[in-house]
Amino acid sequence: MSDIAVVLPDGSELGVPEGATLEDVAYEIGPGLGDDTVAGKIEGELVDKATPVSDGDRIEIVTDQSDEYLSVLRHSAAHVFAQALLRLYDDAKLTIGPWTEEGFYYDITGVDLDEGDLREIEDEMQEIVDADYDIERVVYDREDAVAKYEDDNEYKLDILGREADEAEVSFYEQAEFEDLCQGPHVESTGEIGAFRLLNISSSYWRGDEENDTLTRVHGTAFEKESDLEEFLTMREEAKERDHRKLGQELDLFSIPTVTGPGLPLYHPNGKTILKELEEYGESMNEEYGYDYVETPHLFRTELWKQSGHYDNYVDDMFLLDVNDEEYGLKPMNCPGHATIFEQNSWSYRDLPVRYAENGKVYRKEQRGELSGLSRVWAFTIDDGHLFVRPEQIESEVNDIMAMINDVLETFDLDYEVALATRPEKSVGGDEIWEKAESQLESVLENANMEYELEAGDGAFYGPKIDFAFTDALGRKWDGPTVQLDFNMPERFDLSYTGEDNEDHRPVMIHRALYGSFERFFMVLIEHYDGKFPLWLAPEQVRILPISDDELGYAHRLKNDLEDAEFRVDIEDRSWTLGRKIREAQDDRVPYMLVVGSDEAEAGTVSVRDRKEREQQDVELDSFIDHLSDERAEKREEPDFLD
């Protein structure tokens, strides 16, 4: 049998026989690694160790020491839940049960569960874990697999129907339980060291609200009990930081029923923060040579058909009929920017052309998926689109990555980078995609930047570099992105005149520094626990007069601070000083100025911050200088009140 070559994580190639599996590759590398293999990754996708490799595949071996091992363990925990459920509820019907970033879930039907039932299921799960059943992969002919479900599980039949090109399908067995599944899984149920069922929600089959409503049971699992306890503690902290809760308490935004789902209203406090984010982004765009443009919220659908969005996004678009013509609210800003570029004639000397727009877009997410600001129908992207010559790609992408790095460092967000490649649903030919993917890979390699490969996660029109950042609670969020697009210039017939006086096709680069303002705002609310840094805080200073006698002095202080362009308020209600301080603390105001008769007479202030540090007899000019420095640096200066 002829050899094929796979690419190892260090870039070297290894020859293996055609038909070899990931486990075979591990044994080729070394018998110890083969024995330790739990699963593997092919082109960035986590798969079972029995998965065959193909010539040129980039592969990684997953052991119990790998980061990915936790995902494999959680997948097995989902099966342990399903087995326990069927032992307790004969009528329960299983659909799908994948691992997630924080644990796993299983969608079920046929049984009514509430959260009071979860402890009994956990007890049965513990019996299964203690029994340490072997988890074994079994392969069936498609006909035999269909026969298992044709009388009682239409959901599994639907899964089998979508994989009709596979002659054989895999199941996983543990004791009396078996489930249609592609894996991967750990070797036995006893490897699941600690688990917890977390809550119950509803879902739709295939995420489509036109389909059946299902019960979704969420859980998590870890190797050790201590890891589970740490997770649960952080989860409770996350509840306290929930942006929906803080958004109401701090009067930042609301999503009233009367206005419609997924359509947030920003109150003055929230809009103040958004304006600061906008101005920060605009200052960076100005520094890097972007010109601002503006496009309407609505276009004829002919534009979306030309761009390819109609075929790929029509189910998620808001469409309406106007005088027998179909229009759509824009799900993206890029076709408008491409049309603006197309309106002019360009020379090679004019490129790169860089457009920016804080553009509102609309996507019709399923109602069950809407959640606060994280998933909405209307949101704003800090969009940038560049039209460049091929030889300018690397320098422009490097500049964009430098901008993104500055943004994430400003907010103290650690990040990871991933290269997302062609999805199953895409436009453009193989040659165009291969060229675009190799260009972005080259940029990352030349920048010596570590990155993960996310196979199939690219945009429908091109591959992208994704930045995922980690907040103060250790949670990962999707963030900024850089996307390379050879397709849209073809679709819009964009061109520039080259040095040879011939027409040439530009390359289009899509980029966003925040991703969307809504998602980024949500993350910042929770990341800072509502305690925004001074430059973002909607109220930066609150003046607390001890009595009404100091109100005149308080207003003079307010005028001086507002002259220095700070956001200031006076607490003039007839409360005790202690209550005024507590209220300002609850409102997360960065600085409080306590003024009594002594301060009014001396022309000074007593400064208190939200960390309960104090300093008396501070000259106002000195305080303003400190505020100005802190605002300009976009950093807290902790030693001011130490």
Side-chain angles (χ1 to χ4, degrees):
M1 191 174 288
S2 60
D3 277 1
I4 59 174
V6 295
V7 181
L8 304 180
D10 63 1
S12 63
E13 292 190 353
L14 176 68
V16 295
E18 188 173 356
T21 66
L22 276 166
E23 187 174 28
D24 295 332
V25 173
Y27 275 111
E28 284 287 339
I29 297 171
L33 182 61
D35 291 342
D36 292 341
T37 297
V38 176
K41 294 172 76 175
I42 297 178
E43 298 295 337
E45 181 181 359
L46 186 61
V47 296
D48 189 273
K49 63 184 179 181
T51 304
V53 297
S54 300
D55 190 40
D57 279 348
R58 288 179 283 193
I59 66 101
E60 297 178 49
I61 302 301
V62 173
T63 72
D64 61 6
Q65 300 301 305
S66 304
D67 292 341
E68 294 82 3
Y69 177 72
L70 188 56
S71 296
V72 180
L73 182 144
R74 287 169 169 171
H75 195 194
S76 298
H79 276 212
V80 169
F81 160 76
Q83 183 178 10
L85 181 77
L86 291 177
R87 284 183 174 183
L88 296 171
Y89 300 91
D90 290 342
D91 293 334
K93 188 178 293 187
L94 306 177
T95 66
I96 58 171
W99 71 84
T100 66
E101 188 71 33
E102 291 193 338
F104 64 87
Y105 68 80
Y106 216 115
D107 284 348
I108 63 171
T109 188
V111 59
D112 291 326
L113 293 180
D114 59 42
E115 299 201 0
D117 299 317
L118 297 184
R119 301 293 78 82
E120 181 187 20
I121 300 172
E122 283 183 341
D123 290 342
E124 189 63 37
M125 290 175 67
Q126 190 61 56
E127 295 283 340
I128 294 167
V129 170
D130 291 342
D132 195 21
Y133 298 126
D134 289 339
I135 301 176
E136 299 180 334
R137 182 176 185 268
V138 181
V139 176
Y140 289 95
D141 290 337
R142 172 165 298 281
E143 293 78 9
D144 293 336
V146 168
K148 288 177 177 290
Y149 294 119
E150 61 186 353
D151 293 331
D152 64 354
N153 196 318
E154 63 273 27
Y155 305 103
K156 298 292 188 182
L157 288 175
D158 184 34
I159 295 170
L160 288 167
R162 290 168 186 258
E163 300 169 0
D165 56 337
E166 301 289 338
E168 295 181 327
V169 293
S170 62
F171 283 67
Y172 282 79
E173 298 178 348
Q174 54 201 49
E176 83 287 355
F177 174 79
E178 68 174 5
D179 199 5
L180 174 68
C181 183
Q182 293 181 330
H185 287 281
V186 296
E187 295 293 326
S188 71
T189 59
E191 292 189 31
I192 302 168
F195 61 86
R196 182 69 57 86
L197 298 181
L198 300 172
N199 61 283
I200 295 174
S201 64
S202 61
S203 63
Y204 299 108
W205 175 240
R206 296 292 185 188
D208 187 339
E209 60 189 15
E210 300 297 321
N211 290 339
D212 293 349
T213 300
L214 306 172
T215 298
R216 176 167 293 180
V217 180
H218 301 261
T220 193
F222 293 88
E223 292 182 72
K224 298 183 295 184
E225 187 70 33
S226 59
D227 292 337
L228 173 61
E229 292 303 321
E230 181 180 351
F231 167 83
L232 294 174
T233 299
M234 294 294 281
R235 192 166 182 265
E236 288 304 310
E237 173 69 13
K239 288 180 182 178
E240 290 301 309
R241 293 181 180 226
D242 190 305
H243 74 285
R244 293 164 294 188
K245 172 177 175 287
L246 291 177
Q248 182 176 1
E249 292 176 0
L250 301 178
D251 196 23
L252 301 175
F253 71 93
S254 60
I255 308 178
T257 303
V258 69
T259 61
L263 300 170
L265 305 178
Y266 294 103
H267 300 197
N269 285 346
K271 185 59 182 176
T272 296
I273 296 170
L274 288 174
K275 281 181 64 179
E276 290 289 350
L277 292 174
E278 290 169 6
E279 289 174 8
Y280 177 45
E282 287 166 5
S283 69
M284 298 193 72
N285 286 331
E286 181 179 353
E287 178 184 349
Y288 281 87
Y290 286 76
D291 292 316
Y292 271 85
V293 297
E294 184 172 329
T295 57
H297 295 242
L298 187 71
F299 285 113
R300 294 174 64 234
T301 52
E302 292 305 311
L303 181 74
W304 307 116
K305 292 173 182 177
Q306 184 176 354
S307 68
H309 287 89
Y310 194 88
D311 291 338
N312 289 274
Y313 269 90
V314 65
D315 292 338
D316 297 325
M317 290 179 65
F318 291 92
L319 302 174
L320 58 155
D321 184 272
V322 181
N323 298 328
D324 296 326
E325 252 194 312
E326 190 177 48
Y327 283 74
L329 293 175
K330 60 179 179 179
M332 299 260 189
N333 296 304
C334 39
H337 293 190
T339 304
I340 292 173
F341 183 88
E342 191 270 334
Q343 301 298 301
N344 292 298
S345 298
W346 302 96
S347 163
Y348 70 95
R349 296 186 183 90
D350 300 319
L351 272 57
V353 171
R354 309 179 187 94
Y355 293 148
E357 178 182 13
N358 294 326
K360 184 77 75 177
V361 298
Y362 303 85
R363 297 181 192 169
K364 191 170 57 177
E365 302 275 4
Q366 301 290 339
R367 291 190 182 217
E369 297 176 348
L370 299 174
S371 177
L373 297 180
S374 63
R375 298 291 290 271
V376 291
W377 276 353
F379 57 97
T380 304
I381 301 176
D382 65 316
D383 245 333
H385 293 101
L386 299 82
F387 303 89
V388 306
R389 305 194 306 269
E391 65 270 21
Q392 295 171 323
I393 290 174
E394 183 166 348
S395 64
E396 291 299 318
V397 172
N398 280 331
D399 281 349
I400 293 168
M401 292 197 298
M403 296 170 76
I404 291 171
N405 180 71
D406 286 348
V407 167
L408 298 181
E409 282 193 349
T410 294
F411 297 102
D412 296 319
L413 295 166
D414 295 329
Y415 63 86
E416 297 174 353
V417 179
L419 174 59
T421 59
R422 186 177 189 173
E424 184 176 338
K425 201 172 183 181
S426 63
V427 296
D430 293 344
E431 184 179 348
I432 285 177
W433 273 90
E434 289 169 7
K435 182 178 180 181
E437 288 173 1
S438 65
Q439 288 268 15
L440 287 186
E441 186 174 13
S442 175
V443 168
L444 291 169
E445 295 287 350
N446 291 339
N448 295 316
M449 185 169 285
E450 293 185 9
Y451 65 94
E452 292 287 322
L453 186 68
E454 292 182 344
D457 280 351
F460 76 88
Y461 48 76
K464 57 180 179 170
I465 298 172
D466 284 332
F467 290 74
F469 50 79
T470 305
D471 68 12
L473 294 179
R475 300 170 300 179
K476 290 184 179 179
W477 300 96
D478 293 335
T481 184
V482 189
Q483 303 171 4
L484 207 56
D485 187 352
F486 289 83
N487 283 300
M488 203 166 295
E490 288 280 349
R491 287 175 165 265
F492 282 83
D493 195 25
L494 305 183
S495 66
Y496 65 91
T497 302
E499 197 169 3
D500 58 2
N501 215 32
E502 298 290 333
D503 284 346
H504 295 266
R505 191 78 69 203
V507 179
M508 190 174 180
I509 301 175
H510 308 243
R511 55 111 272 212
L513 303 181
Y514 298 130
S516 79
F517 281 98
E518 282 70 15
R519 171 72 67 87
F520 200 74
F521 187 21
M522 177 270 291
V523 171
L524 293 183
I525 293 170
E526 299 186 1
H527 178 60
Y528 290 122
D529 190 21
K531 299 170 185 173
F532 299 103
L534 180 75
W535 70 282
L536 282 179
E539 182 184 355
Q540 296 166 319
V541 180
R542 186 175 297 180
I543 302 171
L544 312 180
I546 293 176
S547 71
D548 289 350
D549 294 340
E550 288 80 47
L551 278 175
Y553 181 54
H555 280 281
R556 291 195 295 275
L557 293 173
K558 182 174 186 287
N559 291 338
D560 288 343
L561 286 161
E562 287 182 336
D563 287 344
E565 299 184 347
F566 290 102
R567 298 183 283 272
V568 189
D569 208 348
I570 297 174
E571 179 54 84
D572 57 5
R573 286 173 285 192
S574 298
W575 289 350
T576 64
L577 178 60
R579 184 176 178 185
K580 291 180 178 182
I581 290 172
R582 287 194 300 275
E583 185 76 6
Q585 291 282 147
D586 289 345
D587 291 342
R588 274 80 162 174
V589 180
Y591 289 102
M592 293 152 267
L593 300 185
V594 178
V595 292
S597 57
D598 291 343
E599 286 82 8
E601 183 176 343
T604 60
V605 294
S606 291
V607 182
R608 180 185 178 95
D609 69 9
R610 60 190 168 202
K611 295 182 179 178
E612 301 185 12
R613 299 175 300 184
E614 297 181 80
Q615 187 170 325
Q616 298 178 340
D617 300 323
V618 177
E619 297 288 339
L620 182 62
D621 287 346
S622 174
F623 179 61
I624 289 176
D625 287 344
H626 164 76
L627 292 184
S628 299
D629 290 342
E630 188 175 330
R631 178 175 60 187
E633 291 297 320
K634 294 182 170 55
R635 290 283 191 276
E636 183 180 22
E637 294 187 7
D639 57 351
F640 178 66
L641 296 180
D642 283 348

